Amino acid sequence: MSIGDAIKIGLGAIVGALLTFAIYGTLNTLVWLPAAEKHGRELEAADLTAATNKAIGELSNAADQARVRRRLCAERGGMYQFATGECVEPKPEADR
C-alpha cells in the first residue's frame, strides 16, 4: 500500500463522513424535527387541557360545596355570610 492509496482511503473516509453528516442533517431538518415539534405541541395541548379540566372540576366542587353549606345553613335557620363563607346561627330563644 502506497502513500497515494492511503490518501485516497483517507479522502474517501472524509467524503463519506461529510456525506453521512449531510444526509442526517437533511433528515433531521426535514423529517425528524417537525415531527418532534408536532408531538411536543400535542403533549403540551393535552397537558393544558387536563389542567383546565382539573381546575374546572375543582371550581365545580367548590361551588357545589358552597351551595350545600348555604342550603344547610338556611335549613338550620341561620344566615349565610357570603364574604366569609360561614353560617351565622340564630341565638336560641332562651338566650334572647
Side-chain angles (χ1 to χ4, degrees), residues 10-64:
L11 285 175
I14 291 172
V15 169
L18 290 174
L19 184 62
T20 302
F21 179 75
I23 290 171
Y24 274 102
T26 303
L27 282 174
N28 193 24
T29 302
L30 297 177
V31 178
W32 297 328
L33 282 179
E37 288 175 359
K38 180 181 176 192
H39 183 65
R41 283 192 297 270
E42 290 170 354
L43 288 176
E44 185 177 3
D47 286 345
L48 291 174
T49 301
T52 301
N53 290 339
K54 181 180 176 188
I56 289 171
E58 289 173 357
L59 289 173
S60 176
N61 290 340
D64 289 342

Side-chain angles (χ1 to χ4, degrees), residues 73-74 76-82 84-91:
C73 184
R76 291 192 308 257
M79 187 170 75
Y80 189 78
Q81 295 291 324
F82 288 93
T84 61
E86 297 175 355
C87 181
V88 177
E89 298 284 341
K91 292 184 180 181

Side-chain angles (χ1 to χ4, degrees), residues 1-10:
M1 180 173 186
S2 68
I3 301 258
D5 291 337
I7 291 175
K8 286 180 187 178
I9 290 172

